């Protein structure tokens, strides 16, 4: 009997070798996705990198290898200021959105029992309308004769409309935070939903109050969802150019607006490509650093 048990335990640790036909079948299943990614993502990105090492002249594209575009991107103070402003606005949007989304996700995960599907459907209502329409709606709300100014004037709190509500970085932050709120709520909700309720009961039995129980159990265990939500918001908002164009004004211009001008208005594709690659590299480095710091903090907490 002991020999049989030993043989069974030894057999359990033997790696399973797949036949070549099984590997071929697996790759065949992956091939449509790999082909689509290669054609729709890798090829345009490779072309963008190629363009960034060329230069623009009056006669058209100069296809000789050069790094002058990158030297211009990192040497000009105006571009560095745009990078800093874009990152600052995206970081503010990420922080505001996560702070606003966490209570909603907590409410649905812990307080709603029978109607969770209904609440999740309500969270997707913003997606029922166009992103552009939502931006225009905030432009009307924050405008000189918008809802906020009209309401404050009718209440007698101000005599003249407030001009600082629109066409500034704050308007960009508010608009983007509203537009991306649902993207933050859903991953945080998933993390909160997976938390074992017995852990919370154990913490309560050991004498932890609601606040201490939240910071010692709930928040650390939900940090993966918070990190995912932050990355999901920070990366795309850094490259947003529609919202700054409509509600940002001169003070709310971001790096994506300059990239759009280089490609569409000026026609300097090499410089636009260099700005795009530099933006992607900076965002990728910042995201990786933030994820590592967050994971290290999570490991210390847990």
């Amino acid at each position: 009997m002991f020999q049989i048990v030993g043989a069974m335990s030894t057999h359990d640790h033997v790696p399973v070798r797949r036949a070549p036909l099984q590997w071929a079948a697996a790759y065949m299943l992956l091939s449509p996705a790999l082909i689509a990614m290669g054609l729709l993502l890798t090829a345009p990105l490779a072309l963008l990198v190629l363009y960034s090492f060329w230069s623009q002249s009056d006669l058209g594209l100069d296809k000789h290898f050069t790094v002058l575009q990158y030297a211009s991107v990192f040497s000009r103070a105006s571009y560095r200021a745009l990078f800093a402003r874009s990152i600052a606005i995206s970081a503010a949007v990420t922080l505001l959105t996560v702070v606003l989304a966490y209570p909603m996700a907590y409410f649905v995960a812990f307080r709603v029992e029978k109607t969770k599907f209904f609440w999740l459907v309500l969270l997707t209502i913003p997606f029922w309308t166009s992103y552009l329409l939502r931006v225009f709606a905030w432009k009307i709300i924050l405008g000189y004769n918008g809802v906020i100014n009209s309401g404050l004037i009718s209440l007698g709190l101000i005599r003249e409309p407030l001009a600082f509500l629109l066409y500034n970085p704050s308007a960009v932050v508010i608009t983007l935070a509203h537009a991306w709120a649902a993207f933050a709520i859903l991953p945080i909700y998933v993390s909160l939903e997976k938390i074992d309720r017995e852990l919370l009961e154990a913490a309560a039995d050991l004498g932890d109050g609601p606040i201490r129980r939240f910071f010692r159990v709930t928040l650390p265990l939900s940090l993966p969802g918070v990190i995912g939500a932050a990355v999901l918001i920070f990366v795309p908002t850094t490259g947003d150019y529609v919202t700054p164009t409509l509600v940002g004004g001169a003070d709310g211009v971001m790096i994506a607006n300059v990239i759009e001008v280089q490609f569409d208005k000026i026609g300097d594709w090499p410089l636009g490509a260099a700005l795009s690659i530099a933006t992607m590299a900076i965002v990728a480095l910042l995201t990786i650093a933030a994820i590592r710091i967050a994971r290290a903090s999570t490991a210390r907490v847990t």
Side-chain angles (χ1 to χ4, degrees), residues 107-258:
F107 172 79
V108 177
F110 286 95
R111 294 293 182 263
V112 178
E113 295 182 359
K114 298 181 179 180
T115 58
K116 286 187 177 183
F117 179 76
F118 173 75
W119 281 92
L120 292 175
V121 171
L122 288 180
L123 294 177
T124 62
I125 287 180
F127 299 116
W128 297 2
T129 58
S130 171
Y131 174 78
L132 192 60
L133 291 178
R134 281 176 278 162
V135 177
F136 272 115
W138 274 106
K139 186 175 183 180
I140 295 173
I141 293 172
L142 300 174
Y144 191 77
N145 296 318
V147 177
I148 295 179
N149 280 322
S150 300
L152 293 176
I153 291 175
S154 62
L155 293 175
L157 299 178
I158 58 174
R159 295 182 178 180
E160 297 180 356
L162 302 175
F164 63 85
L165 294 177
L166 192 62
Y167 301 125
N168 54 56
S170 298
V172 178
V173 171
I174 294 172
T175 305
L176 287 175
H178 171 262
W180 291 89
F183 290 95
I185 294 174
L186 294 178
I188 297 174
Y189 162 77
V190 172
S191 292
L192 291 172
E193 187 68 20
K194 291 181 179 179
I195 295 177
D196 190 354
R197 302 307 191 260
E198 293 182 357
L199 296 175
L200 301 176
E201 295 176 359
D205 293 338
L206 293 173
D208 284 349
I211 298 177
R212 190 175 183 183
R213 187 166 63 245
F214 172 78
F215 284 103
R216 293 186 63 182
V217 180
T218 306
L219 182 60
L221 293 178
S222 64
L223 282 180
V226 174
I227 296 172
V231 172
L232 193 63
I233 296 168
F234 178 77
V235 173
T237 53
T238 306
D240 192 291
Y241 71 93
V242 175
T243 303
T245 301
L246 295 177
V247 302
D251 295 331
V253 173
M254 298 175 66
I255 190 64
N257 299 107
V258 178

Side-chain angles (χ1 to χ4, degrees), residues 47-87:
L47 186 61
L48 197 66
V49 172
L50 181 63
Y51 269 110
S52 68
F53 287 105
W54 292 347
S55 61
Q56 183 77 19
S57 64
D58 295 336
L59 300 177
L61 289 174
D62 185 3
K63 298 183 180 181
H64 296 289
F65 180 85
T66 179
V67 294
L68 293 178
Q69 307 298 339
Y70 288 99
S72 176
V73 167
F74 291 106
S75 63
R76 294 182 60 176
S78 59
Y79 290 146
R80 294 197 300 268
L82 280 172
F83 281 125
R85 180 191 297 172
S86 302
I87 293 170

